[in-house]
Amino acid sequence: MIAVEDVSKSFRVNGSVLIQALDGASLHVNKGEFVTLIGPSGCGKSTMLNLICGLMEPDSGSISLDGDASAQRLGRVGYMLQRDLLLPWRSLLDNLLLGPEVRGQDMVEARQLALSLLPLFGLEGFADVYPAALSIGMRQRAALLRTILCRQELLLLDEPFGALDALTRRTMRTWLLTVWERFKQTVLFVTHDVDEAIYLADRVYAMSARPGHVVHELTIDLPRPRSDTVIVEPVFNAYRSELLQALGV
Ligand code: ADP
Ligand code: MG
């Protein structure tokens, strides 16, 4: 579905210093796959997502959508940032309806769909509540639901659980897989958590420190649906060791 080939990207900071974020990075995500991208802080993971969704263009290399390197990507890819970016002056439901509203979709239908999905997202009864009154976990689930309601085939998720405590993270990742089994969207998920990267994925890409490029690709051959107990199994340990070694830690 998406193929990133030999992509490099630099940023000019303060007019002069050139920071190379990505250097010859390649990866691909097949239709229906859940792929995770892991790497140290500052290695260019968010830059990779910004490039894929079309917010910026690479200095060199190519990005193809469904085999077409000249395809317009902006607006065809759902993108959820680490910060939830819920609008504080809109109720939860009005935040959820932002995408359909901007896209000019049938609002009656969108409203019904959003309301019907609230229980799955642990938000039942909160439609009229403002974001400030929600817990961080609820806000992240709301942000994910908002992204899903845009109904894009490809979802880019940038460390969505990064701000959560370890226990909530564990609950959220199992929950995310339940949601994913239901919607079957193609996902590229960025994280810096090794267990999270393995637990969620069909395939994991590991990136080097900046300038970032892919140093390792790992296919995760664990049955689905997965439960959290899988992380203590020997096969999971083997994946963890392989990934840590690739990351140089
Ligand atoms: P990660 O998401 O892996 O932590 P980023 O992609 O955010 O890394 O950043 C990679 C590098 O590029 C960092 O050194 C960051 O400071 C730099 N960078 C990212 N975006 C910009 C930008 N818009 N302008 C200048 N520098 C940037
Ligand atoms: Mg980032």
Side-chain angles (χ1 to χ4, degrees):
M1 168 168 271
I2 194 95
V4 175
E5 279 169 67
D6 206 16
V7 155
S8 298
K9 180 75 184 173
S10 306
F11 297 104
R12 200 167 282 286
V13 187
N14 300 330
S16 56
V17 193
L18 204 60
I19 291 190
Q20 182 148 26
L22 293 172
D23 181 20
S26 302
L27 60 81
H28 67 273
V29 184
N30 300 314
K31 198 170 166 55
E33 240 188 338
F34 198 124
V35 172
T36 54
L37 178 62
I38 187 167
S41 185
C43 76
K45 302 181 296 296
S46 297
T47 302
M48 176 66 84
L49 296 193
N50 289 336
L51 288 166
I52 290 176
C53 81
L55 276 176
M56 28 175 100
E57 288 300 320
D59 300 335
S60 61
S62 69
I63 302 175
S64 328
L65 195 57
D66 293 328
D68 180 3
S70 56
Q72 167 81 25
R73 303 188 299 284
L74 212 55
R76 289 186 56 188
V77 177
Y79 191 4
M80 178 182 159
L81 305 165
Q82 186 169 353
R83 287 171 298 132
D84 60 56
L85 299 181
L86 297 175
L87 303 176
W89 60 87
R90 295 183 81 146
S91 70
L92 171 66
L93 183 62
D94 287 341
N95 264 288
L96 296 177
L97 293 177
L98 206 58
E101 192 177 309
V102 170
R103 273 156 214 287
Q105 289 169 5
D106 181 336
M107 291 310 287
V108 176
E109 195 189 309
R111 200 184 149 84
Q112 266 169 5
L113 180 63
L115 287 171
S116 74
L117 287 170
L118 288 181
L120 178 62
F121 284 75
L123 296 166
E124 197 172 14
F126 287 87
D128 299 323
V129 168
Y130 288 83
L134 302 173
S135 71
I136 305 181
M138 291 169 102
R139 292 173 64 113
Q140 289 303 101
R141 291 197 298 270
L144 182 69
L145 178 53
R146 185 172 67 177
T147 311
I148 284 175
L149 287 171
C150 291
R151 295 174 158 187
Q152 311 286 9
E153 275 181 278
L154 176 63
L155 283 187
L156 306 176
L157 306 177
D158 195 355
E159 306 200 31
F161 308 146
L164 304 177
D165 61 89
L167 275 178
T168 312
R169 269 180 104 104
R170 285 182 67 154
T171 320
M172 289 281 275
R173 66 192 187 205
T174 300
W175 166 81
L176 178 64
L177 285 187
T178 314
V179 171
W180 180 70
E181 306 278 345
R182 161 132 185 214
F183 292 93
K184 286 291 178 208
Q185 274 159 314
T186 310
V187 176
L188 180 58
F189 183 106
V190 163
T191 178
H192 56 249
D193 182 313
V194 172
D195 281 11
E196 190 169 278
I198 300 167
Y199 178 70
L200 292 171
D202 296 314
R203 274 188 309 122
V204 183
Y205 284 110
M207 276 174 81
S208 67
R210 190 170 63 81
H213 56 273
V214 170
V215 289
H216 197 66
E217 180 188 343
L218 181 63
T219 299
I220 307 297
D221 202 4
L222 295 171
R224 295 188 190 271
R226 291 177 192 167
S227 86
D228 215 19
T229 52
V230 76
I231 66 169
V232 297
E233 286 176 20
V235 56
F236 198 96
N237 263 318
Y239 287 139
R240 190 187 287 123
S241 307
E242 185 176 338
L243 206 48
L244 287 171
Q245 192 180 8
L247 291 164
V249 275

